[in-house]
Structure formats: C-alpha cells, structure tokens
Amino acid sequence: MVQFRFDLSLPLRAFRLELALEVGRETVALIGPSGAGKTTVLRALAGLLRPERGRIALGEKVWLDVAGGIDRGPEERPVGFVFQDYALFPHMTVAENVAFGGRTRAGELLERFRIAHLAGVRPGELSGGERQRVALARALARDPKILLLDEPLSALDAYTRAGVRAELHEILRDLALPTLLVTHDFQDAGALADRVGVLADGRVLQLGTPSELLAAPTDPFVAGFTGANLLPGLARRGDGGLTVVALADGSLLYSTDAAEGPVSVVVYPWEIAIGREPAEDSALNHVRGRISTLVEVGNRVRVQVGPLVGEVTAASAERLGLEPGHEVVASFKATATRVVPGGDVTSPPAPTPSRRRG
Amino acid sequence: MRRHAFAALLVVATSFALAFLLLPLLALFLRVTPETLLRQLGSDVALDALVVTFKTSLIAHVFILGVGTPAAYLLGTRRFRGRRLVIALVELPLVLPPAVAGIALFAAFGQQGLLGESLGAFGVSLPFTQAAVVLAVILVASPFYLRQAIAAFEAVDPRLLEAARTLGVRPLRAFVRVALPLAAGGLGAGSALAWARGLGEFGATIMFAGSLQGVTQTLPLAIYGQLVQDFDTALAIGAFLVVVSGALLLAVKFLPSWFSSASISPFRSAPSGSS
C-alpha cells in the first residue's frame, strides 16, 4: 500500500512548525485555530513553499529531502490541491478550468461531478457548491496520487455547507486517495475524516479518530476545539472512587475519571440536561444559573447557563418556556464528565465561524 | 444661497478649464479646411515623417513590450529587498525633463559617451541615426508601460498562479495561460499609453537624433520644422496627431474595463490562507 509520509520543520512567525505524519488510503484532517500553521503544511506538501528541514515521500518516490538536496517543483508532485476559495481561473470557463489539469479525463470528470451542464460558464456565475465541485474536478483532472484540501467548506454559507459536506464525504470515500484536509471546524473534520489531528502552535496535540478525540481528549485545548465546555478547577479523590473537582466559585463537580491537582472539567453540550429543578435521575452534577443566551441551531437550542453551554431539543425548549434571564439547573452525569490535566487554560478557542481576511 | 454660489463656481471653473484645454485643439481643425489638411498630409515632408515615426515607434514598442513585460512580471509578483527602489528607478524617466533625457543619451551612447568607444569598435555610431530615435522613444515611453504592467501583474491573485503550478504547469506556462490573460487589460492600456508618449516624443529625439527628413524627422519634429516654412503642413500633422492620440487615449480608458468584464471575479479580493 502506498503511504504518504512527511516530516516537516519550519519557523513561522511566533513558533516552529514541527509535524510528522503518515497517511494511508484515508482522510486525515488537521484542525486548529487560525495561524496554527495548517495551510502552511499543505503549501509545503504541494511544493509551494520550502520547509527549512524535512522529507516528503509518496511510497518510494521522494518529493523533498532537504538534507539530500531533493526538492521537486509543484508541477512534479502528483498532488490535487483544492484551495480555500477554490482559486478557479476567472478568465476560463468551467470546462477550460477542468481541462487545465488534464485534458484526457476532463469530460468524464465534468459528468461525474454533475457540472457538465455548466461547461461553458465562467466561475463568477457559479454557486459556492458548484465552485467546489469544479475545483475538485480540476484537481482530479491531473490524476493526483494524493489530495490536499484547504478549508474546503469555509467559503460556503451555513445553508449550503451541510449538503456539500455530505457530498464531499461521499466523493472522498469513493476516491480512496490519501487525503489531507485542514479546517478550523471540528464538525467538518469529524464528518469528513477518518483521523483528526489537533494542531496548535505548530505541533499536533492529539491525533485520533473523531470519536477518540470526543471521548478522551488528552488536553484542554483539544477538548475546547471539539466543542466541549471547559471548567478549570482543582481535583482530589473523593468517596466511592469518584474524583471531586472544586471550581473557582467553590461548587463541586464529580467525575469517574481519576485525577488530582489543577485540571479542566470537560463536558459536552449534548450531555447536559436543562431543567427548572435538578433532574431527579442519576446525574450527580448540577449547576444552577441564569440563562444568558438561547441560540437555535437547526432543531436544537443551545442554552448558555452560567459557564456552561447545554443543548436541548427545540421542542423541550418550548415546553420548558426557556427565556433569557430564567433561573435553571444544568445537570450532567459523573460518567459524562471528563477530567483532563491542565487547569489554567488560556482561553481555548471555541470553534469560530470562518474568519475571512479582506 | 451660499450653496448655490459655490455650485455655480464649480461649474464656471470646469467650463473654463474645458474651454482652455480644448480651444487650441479646436483651432487646429478650424484654421484650415479639412481638404487642405488632407492634402498637406500628403506632402513629402509629412509622408516621410509618417514613415519614420511609424517605423521607429513600432521597433521601440516591440522592445518595450518584449523586455518590459517579463520585467514587470518579476517586479509585480516577486517580493524582494529593494523592490520599491527598483520600481521608483524604473519610473524616473517619467519625471525627467526631455532635454535631460537627450543629453543623458549622448552621455551614454555618444561617440565620447560611456559606451561610445565600445560601440565605435564595432563601427557603430548611434547619434543622428534612426536607431537613436528608437533609443530616445524607448527611454521616455517605456516607463509608462512598465508602471501600468507592474500594477496589472500585482493585481493577479498569486494563488491563481500557485493553482496553475499544482495543476502540473511550469512557471512559464502559468505566466502565459494565467497571468498574461488576467493582466491583459492593464497591459493593453499601458501599451497604448506608452505608444502615445512615444509618438509625441520630441526633446530627447531632436537632441540625440537630430531632425533629418526621411531619417530621423518624426511627426513632432516635422511640425517644428514646418512651423515657419509651411504652416498648413505643420497644422495638418498636428491635427493628425490629435486624432491618433485621442484614439489611443480612448483605448487606455476603455481597454481595462473591456477586459475586466471577462476577468474580474469575486476571487480577486478573496482571503488569503487561514494560517
């Protein structure tokens, strides 16, 4: 099996990017905040910039070996690169864009990506989803051996996004090429990738399947990136094999994870039940507070209670008559409460909407 | 009331400026009948000047485009230390008095000049030849093209060129298939501007190349030469140059927008990479 391996090291503005990875016939997502070096990795792999040290090889073929003096140009690396905003050639039609990568497969790809009817249209007239299909078709026309996708969904509005994401997932599965994609959105990464690496300050904090990252984040930063609530506190051993975490406001939370010392309590919004009174079930943890915000996300409502964000269905939100300012109780089980070392998290980034630079 | 007075002042100033700028040009056409203008344009002096001008400006233009386009591509797409200084130096001839350009050409290529001796060794003497006209035109006209061309290449999203590379294309092909078409409007405008400036070149040419009819006497030099001898011919040439320059100006104004309707896209101002 052809393996794509690389080991890169190059200085960025505030830190050094150090990354080594092996990618088989799978999709690996690198997620991290803006400025973490995600795009730089893709550019280095494609040959658009040269790392200070490193080696890139696809199977037996070496693309880059800085020590050995090998550095193939971008045109000599069989890479399919899909740029963040797709970088379609505005002066060419859809068909010309796709044929730019290679003429022989262009017709077939237009059919396959359902853009044949747009063959004579220029990119400026296409919708976001259509542009993405054209960009993918163009990248594949070259018959690449690996695929690099830079924020493939960030140029799309929330409405188109879910549909295109599902479509892209299917395409990637059918292609079965070693694929590396970067995104700042854990949901996109989780939906598209077999493995996800969380990148911060130039290095991978954790690499694993999406469910591994959700179930067992090794680091508060990783937990924050997956969309979890983070509450810093001090852990000690309590009764019955439980860990007791004292938060800054003095309240206590219980977890089945073993830990001691400064920690972060990790709990996901969908593990939190919201009620007028503490839930009378097995949930051990209760946080009382006022609702500060209510945000509808599809058929769910995100409710911010004190430091926590919980999710309830739109129907229950209505049944409970939740309004900002109401006092409610957020309850969650000790078994759904993760405790990870490192209490003084410097503002872990919540997944932010795509930030665009002018 | 105050506001109306100010508005009136603006209109008066604009009308005055327009009248002052256009009156001499209008006079050129009103002074003699169109028939006389056409007849005088057929005179030996005018025809010789036309041929010399056409030939020299065409040769000069080939050099300007041939050398200027790749140079502008480098200056417009690469970032290096001293780039702004290099661009400023390229633009220097724009503000150079024509007489200085003339004397500078002598200092460089004259028989006693910097390169005069080396050229002389090959039996080449440039001053007062058609080659001298070409050199003078290149010196004064090329910055007009370079300036515009650098700006046009700067406006091409560098990621389109990178995309071309990742699609298996060498830098030369990326230049030809992506950068050139996208910069075409600006290049066309710069080319027209440079040609217009080259057609009107007078000061450096008369100093460095002289004004020999049929050899180095271009249209502007012929106007000057005929001013006293045959005012009508001078007028006819003048009117002709007004028409040509006007056409070139229109090209400068409208070429970029014609091209941009095909090349401007929402990607132009698209964000750069997220990390």
Side-chain angles (χ1 to χ4, degrees), chain A residues 68 143 180 195 240 250 263 294 325-326:
Chain A
D143 203 6
L180 200 66
R195 287 192 295 158
V263 293
L294 285 164
H326 285 178

Side-chain angles (χ1 to χ4, degrees), chain A residues 258-327:
Chain A
E260 253 172 301
V263 293
S264 288
V265 173
V266 176
V267 56
Y268 289 95
W270 51 88
E271 305 280 10
I272 294 175
I274 306 274
R276 292 284 187 181
E277 294 301 323
E280 297 198 355
D281 54 14
S282 60
L284 267 182
N285 294 316
H286 305 286
V287 175
R288 188 177 285 275
R290 288 191 185 282
I291 297 177
S292 52
T293 56
L294 285 164
V295 182
E296 240 177 280
V297 186
N299 54 4
R300 295 159 296 152
V301 178
R302 300 202 129 194
V303 187
Q304 170 110 39
V305 181
L308 288 173
V309 173
E311 276 188 355
V312 295
T313 60
S316 1
E318 196 157 332
R319 185 166 45 77
L320 292 167
L322 299 180
E323 296 280 351
H326 285 178
E327 195 176 280

Side-chain angles (χ1 to χ4, degrees), chain B residues 53-227:
Chain B
T53 305
F54 185 71
K55 191 175 154 191
T56 54
S57 70
L58 191 69
I59 296 172
H61 213 63
V62 167
F63 277 102
I64 291 172
L65 296 187
V67 178
T69 308
Y73 186 56
L74 178 93
L75 293 172
T77 56
R78 303 284 194 285
R79 297 286 173 270
F80 54 89
R81 280 168 71 95
R83 173 176 171 269
R84 282 158 64 95
L85 181 70
V86 173
I87 292 178
L89 289 175
V90 161
E91 291 176 355
L92 187 59
L94 286 176
V95 293
L96 213 58
V100 176
I103 194 80
L105 282 169
F106 255 116
F109 303 106
Q111 260 136 21
Q112 259 80 58
L114 212 54
L115 301 177
E117 213 166 308
S118 331
L119 289 170
F122 292 98
V124 178
S125 174
L126 286 175
F128 309 110
T129 62
Q130 239 167 34
V133 180
V134 172
L135 285 181
V137 170
I138 291 176
L139 180 63
V140 300
S142 58
F144 284 84
Y145 177 70
L146 281 166
R147 230 172 100 96
Q148 200 85 10
I150 291 169
F153 284 127
E154 267 174 353
V156 175
D157 184 348
R159 271 203 287 177
L160 295 177
L161 299 171
E162 291 181 344
R165 296 291 305 282
T166 66
L167 291 167
V169 157
R170 290 182 181 285
L172 174 65
R173 245 174 109 67
F175 167 71
V176 173
R177 292 198 53 195
V178 179
L180 269 188
L182 288 175
L187 298 182
S191 171
L193 213 55
W195 202 329
R197 175 64 186 91
L199 282 183
E201 165 42 33
F202 180 85
T205 312
I206 202 164
M207 286 184 73
F208 185 52
S211 183
L212 303 166
Q213 191 188 329
V215 184
T216 65
Q217 192 176 66
T218 58
L219 289 167
L221 296 179
I223 293 178
Y224 185 67
Q226 295 300 305
L227 194 58

Side-chain angles (χ1 to χ4, degrees), chain A residues 34-40 43 46 48 74-75 79 81 83-85 87-92 100-101 122-124 131 138-139 142 151 356-358, chain B residues 157 159-171 173-174 177-179 181-182 261-275:
Chain A
S34 295
K38 302 181 305 262
T39 299
T40 308
R43 290 171 55 81
L48 296 173
E75 63 273 15
V79 158
F81 199 121
F83 287 76
Q84 183 177 8
D85 51 10
L88 299 177
F89 302 123
H91 59 298
M92 297 181 194
F100 195 100
R122 286 184 200 274
R131 276 179 202 171
R138 184 180 70 172
R142 196 189 168 183
E151 300 271 4
R356 319 205 82 197
R357 281 185 233 149
Chain B
D157 184 348
R159 271 203 287 177
L160 295 177
L161 299 171
E162 291 181 344
R165 296 291 305 282
T166 66
L167 291 167
V169 157
R170 290 182 181 285
R173 245 174 109 67
R177 292 198 53 195
V178 179
L182 288 175
S261 63
S263 67
I264 294 289
S265 83
F267 305 117
R268 270 290 169 76
S269 53
S272 54
S274 72
S275 51

